[in-house]
Amino acid sequence: QSRLTDPPIDSPNPITSSRWGPHYATQSNILSGQGAHVFAGTTYETDAAHNIGNTNGCVTCHMAELPANVIAGGHSFAINYEGSGGVVVNSKGCTCHGWTTDAVATSETDSYQAEFEEDLDALGDVLVERGWLKADREYATNGATAPVTADERGATFNFLLLHHDKSMGVHNKKYAESVVAGTMAWLQANP
């Protein structure tokens, strides 16, 4: 779970640390659909199959039974395994999507992640252009262009929250997509 930022998003104090933002382990925030900065008049969808009725949480997918022909540690927490044609998504833990084979799960996941990554990269590009992120997508502390208002900091925070999740939206598709869309809408309305 991500920790609180220091200084907080709504603090009048300048941010002097290049490590400002959510901690790198943001997966539980994304899965549960909470933690992103909310702009006035914006709401984020939080109803996702991965956080409703999933009483076992992360282990449902990440420690699912592997196919019989795969040799891998059950406690690796990896949802993927190396197949003969490359990296494959283990569909055995998924009860949400009804994927019939690992090939279908891999195709669907790869396609979605590619689309989401484009949207997240576009958001990151805007933040880099404004000087709020460095090109490597880390927080930029560069004086006059550093985000000052709560919403400016919140836009940067939202990107980092999703970027550090590393699932490219898979942990909570609706929430991740709505955070990107809401943040981009705020940025476009406040050039």
Side-chain angles (χ1 to χ4, degrees), residues 11-37:
S11 170
N13 297 329
I15 298 170
T16 58
S17 172
S18 63
R19 302 218 184 266
W20 181 87
H23 193 268
Y24 294 107
T26 63
Q27 292 80 10
S28 66
N29 292 82
I30 303 304
L31 185 70
S32 62
Q34 55 188 318
H37 175 74

Side-chain angles (χ1 to χ4, degrees), residues 59-144:
V59 300
T60 301
C61 297
H62 284 276
M63 291 185 72
E65 177 186 343
L66 292 166
N69 60 343
V70 174
I71 299 172
H75 285 83
S76 70
F77 222 60
I79 196 159
N80 304 335
Y81 63 91
E82 189 68 37
S84 60
V87 177
V88 179
V89 174
N90 179 11
S91 65
K92 288 188 183 261
C94 179
T95 58
C96 308
H97 300 282
W99 292 325
T100 54
T101 67
D102 290 357
V104 170
T106 302
S107 174
E108 293 288 325
T109 302
D110 288 352
S111 175
Y112 172 72
Q113 286 179 314
E115 286 178 31
F116 182 82
E117 188 171 20
E118 283 183 27
D119 293 341
L120 188 61
D121 279 347
L123 174 58
D125 290 344
V126 172
L127 297 171
V128 169
E129 287 171 15
R130 292 190 185 194
W132 302 346
L133 284 179
K134 294 186 286 185
D136 66 0
R137 301 306 203 240
E138 291 299 321
Y139 182 73
T141 52
N142 52 359

Side-chain angles (χ1 to χ4, degrees), residues 169-190:
V170 169
H171 285 140
N172 190 330
K173 179 180 177 183
K174 290 179 182 178
Y175 181 68
E177 288 174 348
S178 64
V179 169
V180 169
T183 303
M184 190 65 93
W186 182 86
L187 287 165
Q188 290 168 345
N190 297 274

